[in-house]
Amino acid sequence: MKLLIINGPNLNLLGTREPEIYGNRTFESYLMELREMLDGVELDYYQSNHEGDIIDALHEADCDGIILNAGAYTHTSLAIADAIKGIQVPVIEVHISNVASREPIRHVSMIGGVCQGTIAGFGLKSYFLAAQAFIIE
């Protein structure tokens, strides 16, 4: 099985940005652990702060499933939602924090309705849970 993780804007700052919400671990350090936990799964990773680059990554994805943390674009991007609708690869939306317990703007997901499902609020473990959802399918 081959999975692709796509992280959106500001997720390159994990470990230093708002550690009280997102923790103090970088994604790269977690990714190494995640690859070990998902032995036998080919796990690719892409991060961009640019909406169009995320859309291109969705369009070009050659994998069995996409784990997408679109960051703030979750709440604003019809373009990313349309890109998800336009591809055949299933997408699971993930969030590190529990977006339902945060500011009201974060309660609305523009992409959730076109994703296979959403996992939120389990910290970096949200990515592992999304991978597991693809594996046990």
Side-chain angles (χ1 to χ4, degrees):
M1 170 165 283
K2 182 177 180 180
L3 300 177
L4 170 62
I5 295 173
I6 300 175
N7 274 344
N10 299 310
L11 289 160
N12 57 309
L13 299 177
L14 284 176
T16 58
R17 174 183 171 232
E18 298 180 276
E20 68 281 2
I21 296 173
Y22 301 108
N24 56 11
R25 191 164 186 195
T26 67
F27 192 79
E28 288 73 15
S29 71
Y30 177 68
L31 184 59
M32 290 178 9
E33 180 182 321
L34 186 60
R35 284 183 170 134
E36 289 176 13
M37 291 188 296
L38 298 172
D39 187 39
V41 174
E42 184 178 340
L43 192 58
D44 291 332
Y45 175 59
Y46 179 78
Q47 188 278 327
S48 179
N49 293 316
H50 305 281
E51 185 178 32
D53 292 343
I54 293 167
I55 292 166
D56 289 343
L58 288 164
H59 289 174
E60 296 165 7
D62 181 21
C63 57
D64 300 303
I66 298 170
I67 298 167
L68 173 62
N69 184 341
Y73 287 136
T74 298
H75 318 290
T76 63
S77 183
L78 280 174
I80 291 175
D82 286 346
I84 294 167
K85 283 194 289 189
I87 63 174
Q88 298 300 310
V89 180
V91 177
I92 294 178
E93 172 187 15
V94 300
H95 298 284
I96 296 167
S97 68
N98 179 357
V99 291
S101 69
R102 297 188 60 199
E103 309 92 322
I105 188 78
R106 296 183 192 272
H107 298 179
V108 177
S109 172
M110 300 295 284
I111 66 171
V114 296
C115 290
Q116 185 176 24
T118 300
I119 299 171
F122 295 95
L124 290 173
K125 292 178 197 162
S126 296
Y127 294 90
F128 176 75
L129 295 171
Q132 287 297 302
F134 281 121
I135 292 167
I136 61 172
E137 241 182 6

